[in-house]
Amino acid sequence: MRVPLVVGNWKMHGTVAEARILAHAVRDGLKRPRGVEVAMCPPFTALAAVGEAIAGSPIALGAQNCHWEDKGAYTGEVSPAMLTELGCRLVLLGHSERRHVFRETDEEINRKVAAALRHGLRPILCVGETAEQRRQGLTFTVVEGQLRAGWAGLASAEIDRCSIAYEPVWAIGTGVNATAAQAAEVHGYLRGLVSELGSKDTAHSLRILYGGSVKADNAGSFTEEPDVDGVLVGGASLDAAGFVTIAKKCAAKGGAS
Ligand code: PGA
């Protein structure tokens, strides 16, 4: 049984003071989440404060990106070891904003995935097609290419520690979410690939999240799909009450809330 995972991606939102307030409110709203795992990914500058706010709670701390080197002359970058020192357990990699706004390549993302694993961070590899690619019938081709490239060279035991987030680019921050059926179709395809790249057991246990305009009123429809194992939430994770509701709706799938 895959326990659903609900991850908040705060993007570039939140001063330390604002992050503290939001983190406390989420922690208080999810004292004993059952049947769901919850994580929050604030900006780098707020990681320490959020880590403190959720210390001792079941909520996990995550980062939105990392570099592939342990240290060095990489102005402006943050290494995986710097994240684990602050208590991060997971890291988003290959988010579509990193790919499209900052021109991150599959090769760079692959190096980041390997580095995160080396440091004991669980990477959530984000994949997803643009509207144009979907129109051209390239959805499966695109997500397959991103998954194969992002995981290139990983051993099966390493793939075991990964998660995937399917985030169609056209659904991110637009208010136009994929339908649950559209998500389920891609998730099923990705799970088949996990079986090939890792193992059948890994495909059975690995979590594939949906992301893109997830809100309190649509979150439940995604996690009702057997192949959707949680959600990656952007804008709606900045509202504590809404994020808590999303986590509780997803928990229902895990059998208890
Ligand atoms: P959104 O973003 O929920 O605001 O659409 C999702 C994401 O980018 O991870």
Side-chain angles (χ1 to χ4, degrees), residues 66 74 87 131 163 169 215:
C66 71
Y74 300 100
S163 308
V169 180
K215 305 266 182 302

Side-chain angles (χ1 to χ4, degrees), residues 9 11 95 97 167 171-174 211-215 232-236:
N9 172 13
K11 309 194 179 185
H95 187 279
E97 285 146 21
E167 297 206 305
I172 296 178
T174 59
S213 296
V214 173
K215 305 266 182 302
L232 177 52
V233 188

Side-chain angles (χ1 to χ4, degrees), residues 32-199:
R32 266 178 241 62
R34 272 186 290 154
V36 65
E37 282 176 33
V38 178
M40 292 192 287
C41 303
F44 290 136
T45 48
L47 281 171
V50 172
E52 238 169 65
I54 60 178
S57 86
I59 300 169
L61 187 65
Q64 299 172 18
N65 185 25
C66 71
H67 196 260
W68 55 80
E69 293 291 348
D70 294 358
K71 58 181 163 188
Y74 300 100
T75 303
E77 295 292 328
V78 173
S79 76
M82 294 170 184
L83 298 178
T84 53
E85 185 190 29
L86 293 175
C88 284
R89 304 226 302 269
L90 50 95
V91 60
L92 305 177
L93 292 173
H95 187 279
S96 86
E97 285 146 21
R98 301 295 323 165
R99 293 177 189 269
H100 295 279
V101 182
F102 299 102
R103 304 270 161 226
E104 264 183 30
T105 65
D106 279 323
E107 200 225 335
E108 289 167 339
I109 294 162
N110 176 237
R111 293 173 79 176
K112 292 177 177 204
V113 168
L117 287 166
R118 222 172 35 243
H119 286 273
L121 283 164
R122 286 187 292 156
I124 300 180
L125 178 66
C126 305
V127 300
E129 82 288 0
T130 63
E132 180 59 20
Q133 288 165 333
R134 176 165 279 264
R135 226 176 33 75
Q136 291 178 10
L138 294 173
T139 299
F140 290 162
T141 311
V142 169
V143 298
E144 175 168 353
Q146 291 171 335
L147 184 67
R148 284 185 186 279
W151 281 0
L154 296 193
S156 178
E158 291 176 310
I159 292 179
D160 249 349
R161 291 162 42 216
C162 295
S163 308
I164 302 170
Y166 168 55
E167 297 206 305
V169 180
W170 47 270
I172 296 178
T174 59
V176 183
N177 55 278
T179 63
Q182 283 172 321
E185 190 186 29
V186 178
H187 284 224
Y189 186 76
L190 288 168
R191 201 173 299 285
L193 285 169
V194 175
S195 179
E196 181 201 320
L197 297 170
S199 68

